[in-house]
Amino acid sequence: MTQRAVRETLRDERRDPGPDDDPAGVPADDGEHAASGDDDGGTPPSDGDDDGIPASREDAPAPDSGGGRRPRRRMLKWVAAVLALVLLGAAGAGYVYYRHLNGNIKQNPLNLGDHKVAEPTPNAAGQTPLNILLIGSDARDSKANQDLGGARETFGSTPLADVQMLLHLSADRTNMSVISMPRDTLVRIPKCTDPEDGTVYEASNGRTMTNQSLGHGGPGCTVATWQELTGIHIDHFVMVDFAGVVAMADAVGGVPVCVDANILSRDSQGHGSGLKLPEGTHPVKGEQALQWLRTRYGFEDGSDLARAKAQHMYMNSLARELRENADLSNPNKLRRLAEEATRALTVDPGLDTVKKLYDLSNELRRVDPERITMTTMPNRYVGARVEPTEDAEQLFRLVREDIALDGKDEEPAPAAEAAKEKKPAASAEPAAPDDRIAVQVVNGTRTDTLGTASGRASTVAGLLQEKGFTGATADTVGSLSERLTLVRYPSADLKGDALRVAEALGVPASSVRQSTDVSGVTLVVGADWREGTAYEAPEQDDTTPESAKALNGADDSACMKVDPAYTWS
């Protein structure tokens, strides 16, 4: 029943009270209890009849001669009017609260860099994967965050992205892969522009810790850093700070974690998170949950790699709690979780409402824990820091090609099958005639152990010319370092041309990538083609590298190994 119908009902009752009605008992229709009338408030449309009760006096049937049915009909109309007002009030309050929750959510632009990565090609069913970057910020810019500890000199300082995890939801929504990057990984942070004040942060030299990307304008620069490193298109980001982690752990009632011995993460110099747990499995919440996520001193070798492993264990356990144990039918618990979660989050514009976040959570909940695989980006030490290895590129490729990290794909994904056949996938964009395609060829054969192979750009450019690509030219000045031979293109209108060049040389479609680092179709001759004129794509290994230290989402038996120097009795 609409507000108008309610008012008409009340007016009719006042206009023609029956012998058994008390006109003095009719409340004034001053509109104070009506909802705003906004369609988003959830008010159902009405045709003037609410469950068979007439909306106006003129619609009512004639009373019976004895008048006995008239008071009953009046009473029904009264009940209908009161219920309608209650429902309208509830709907209005619900809408106000919904807007309140939306107002809690902070948002930032998705990508602050110039480098764009093409969206993945849909599978045969028209489905595409979903990639979300989860960022944990160490921001100490509020009293709630400062009360959770940390050195006072860090209060109000530039925040760092101390937790970075890429969540990849497969196109068919059957499995999820997670890649965690240690915070001290040395990477190239691309040029980023701060959306608030226009400050331009120039690209780093490639030896900068990845957690510093957050200070180059916000989470959008962390997204740009990941995309440039991995070649994976990122659809969304979700960032949470210290206080948010604590509040959300409290809201779900605690997250079970396990240690194989008593642990106290604190040394004589004061290093450590302060985590103190007895041996075994225990639920952590509040500040203790944050301590678990921050602990280095006391876990295994005391490195960020051990911390990443502990974070994976926590995330797996949290996912199980939300799926199986959280009592979301409890209105108070649900309201508290909604309140704390929305206040804790900073997201991109694509996730800036409760509905969008709810829809995303439903997508993620479709995956059974047995099909969730948590990994750490393969790396090697460089002094006290780490850098990606060749195994990291293999892991990134599996995600780019939507190949499940648990090895349980029923059949190869289209991109992976094309790569195995060493044929580019069909392109929706028509290619220009071969002799009209301009191609720049760059020598990218340099490696960490081998110098640049001389003359490769000129040799391959000549090969393309022989095949009819008369617009192919060699860049004899520049050189790069690429493990695999790649074809890059700057915009969607040149994708067909890039695929045609790849096809002519036998380069797989998985090595054709969009990049704003180039101004036209560019062939980078990689270290896998240091000699000869016939390109042979290396055999692709579709298994998750052991160095990624995969952890299954259903594994609730794993325990963190405690360093004996940090135990207690």
Side-chain angles (χ1 to χ4, degrees):
M1 178 178 284
T2 63
Q3 294 179 67
R4 179 179 178 183
V6 172
R7 289 183 179 125
E8 287 178 354
T9 300
L10 294 176
R11 279 199 301 271
D12 290 343
E13 295 298 322
R14 287 199 300 271
R15 187 167 58 240
D16 186 18
D20 298 317
D21 292 332
D22 180 8
V26 179
D29 183 19
D30 58 7
E32 288 181 1
H33 300 289
S36 65
D38 194 313
D39 289 341
D40 290 339
T43 306
S46 172
D47 57 5
D49 187 9
D50 186 44
D51 294 330
I53 298 173
S56 67
R57 189 73 176 178
E58 290 73 20
D59 296 329
D64 64 11
S65 56
R69 292 177 58 194
R70 187 172 181 178
R72 179 173 179 272
R73 186 174 294 114
R74 289 267 175 80
M75 180 62 68
L76 289 174
K77 293 175 74 177
W78 261 99
V79 170
V82 170
L83 284 176
L85 283 172
V86 170
L87 289 174
L88 283 167
Y95 178 62
V96 169
Y97 186 61
Y98 174 76
R99 292 190 64 180
H100 161 73
L101 291 177
N102 286 343
N104 285 345
I105 302 169
K106 300 174 285 294
Q107 64 168 291
N108 269 198
L110 175 62
N111 186 355
L112 301 184
D114 297 328
H115 182 80
K116 308 299 180 185
V117 174
E119 296 184 17
T121 303
N123 64 14
Q127 303 164 306
T128 55
L130 193 61
N131 296 307
I132 306 110
L133 187 63
L134 178 63
I135 303 169
S137 164
D138 78 340
R140 294 185 174 88
D141 52 0
S142 68
K143 186 177 187 303
N145 281 318
Q146 292 169 4
D147 287 346
L148 292 171
R152 289 189 175 275
E153 60 268 22
T154 66
F155 289 3
S157 62
T158 302
L160 300 171
D162 273 359
V163 177
Q164 299 178 34
M165 294 182 179
L166 180 68
L167 281 63
H168 171 83
L169 185 61
S170 66
D172 62 7
R173 302 305 190 255
T174 63
N175 65 88
M176 188 192 309
S177 303
V178 181
I179 302 176
S180 176
M181 186 190 301
R183 68 172 187 170
D184 57 359
T185 302
L186 298 177
V187 297
R188 176 183 182 271
I189 300 177
K191 175 183 175 183
C192 293
T193 303
D194 191 314
E196 293 189 4
D197 59 17
T199 299
V200 176
Y201 296 87
E202 296 298 335
S204 71
N205 60 7
R207 311 299 291 176
T208 305
M209 286 173 55
T210 183
N211 65 349
Q212 295 183 27
S213 59
L214 186 59
H216 290 212
C221 195
T222 306
V223 169
T225 301
W226 269 80
Q227 289 199 155
E228 181 163 306
L229 175 67
T230 67
I232 298 169
H233 174 81
I234 295 177
D235 301 281
H236 300 292
F237 74 79
V238 176
M239 184 171 72
V240 62
D241 60 16
F242 286 165
V245 170
V246 170
M248 292 178 70
D250 285 352
V252 298
V255 178
V257 294
C258 179
V259 287
D260 71 351
N262 300 343
I263 182 174
L264 174 58
S265 178
R266 185 77 73 199
D267 65 14
S268 58
Q269 285 77 43
H271 298 139
S273 69
L275 176 70
K276 185 176 183 179
L277 282 176
E279 176 184 351
T281 300
H282 309 277
V284 294
K285 59 182 181 178
E287 186 174 355
Q288 199 172 46
L290 177 62
Q291 289 173 334
W292 177 274
L293 293 169
R294 294 175 61 191
T295 294
R296 286 178 54 197
Y297 296 95
F299 283 158
E300 300 187 348
D301 63 355
S303 69
D304 263 341
L305 307 181
R307 172 160 44 196
K309 183 176 178 180
Q311 291 168 351
H312 291 167
M313 186 181 297
Y314 181 94
M315 293 292 291
N316 281 342
S317 186
L318 175 60
R320 289 192 297 270
E321 288 298 300
L322 288 172
R323 172 182 288 274
E324 300 170 8
N325 302 323
D327 183 14
L328 297 182
S329 63
N330 182 320
N332 288 332
K333 178 177 271 191
L334 182 59
R335 180 178 59 80
R336 184 181 178 193
L337 180 59
E339 188 76 38
E340 299 295 356
T342 52
R343 278 197 298 213
L345 300 180
T346 300
V347 299
D348 67 274
L351 293 177
D352 62 352
T353 67
V354 171
K355 183 181 185 305
K356 293 175 183 177
L357 288 167
Y358 178 77
D359 290 344
L360 174 61
S361 70
N362 279 341
E363 290 277 282
L364 298 175
R365 282 171 58 87
R366 290 170 60 182
V367 182
D368 291 331
E370 293 82 0
R371 297 299 314 276
I372 299 174
T373 305
M374 310 284 290
T375 65
T376 299
M377 181 199 73
N379 58 81
R380 59 176 169 240
Y381 278 104
V382 182
R385 310 302 181 199
V386 298
E387 65 182 7
T389 63
E390 290 186 0
D391 281 355
E393 171 53 32
Q394 179 180 335
L395 192 65
F396 300 153
R397 179 183 65 80
L398 294 178
V399 171
R400 285 196 302 267
E401 297 178 4
D402 197 26
I403 298 173
L405 297 187
D406 62 6
K408 296 180 181 178
D409 277 334
E410 293 185 2
E411 57 185 33
E417 188 65 18
K420 289 180 179 178
E421 295 177 3
K422 302 176 184 175
K423 295 179 181 178
S427 169
E429 298 82 2
D434 292 354
D435 60 358
R436 299 282 300 277
I437 298 176
V439 187
Q440 184 178 49
V441 183
V442 179
N443 191 337
T445 57
R446 187 179 75 251
T447 71
D448 291 343
T449 57
L450 298 172
T452 301
S454 177
R456 293 305 294 161
S458 297
T459 298
V460 177
L463 176 63
L464 280 170
Q465 291 172 359
E466 291 174 6
K467 292 179 176 290
F469 294 86
T470 55
T473 59
D475 180 349
T476 57
V477 178
S479 67
L480 299 172
S481 177
E482 289 289 352
R483 187 171 67 90
L484 298 176
T485 295
L486 304 173
V487 182
R488 293 186 171 127
Y489 62 96
S491 54
D493 59 315
L494 292 178
K495 181 177 181 180
D497 292 355
L499 285 169
R500 174 65 192 125
V501 170
E503 181 184 36
L505 294 174
V507 175
S510 59
S511 294
V512 179
R513 303 176 192 171
Q514 186 172 354
S515 170
T516 54
D517 288 342
V518 296
S519 57
V521 177
T522 302
L523 171 67
V524 182
V525 183
D528 59 343
W529 198 9
R530 291 179 61 88
E531 59 184 20
T533 57
Y535 178 71
E536 294 185 10
E539 288 296 323
Q540 303 279 16
D541 182 359
D542 289 345
T543 60
T544 302
E546 290 186 12
S547 55
K549 300 179 180 178
L551 177 66
N552 186 270
D555 185 1
D556 59 0
S557 64
C559 278
M560 286 301 298
K561 181 176 177 57
V562 175
D563 182 340
Y566 290 86
T567 193
W568 54 275
S569 58

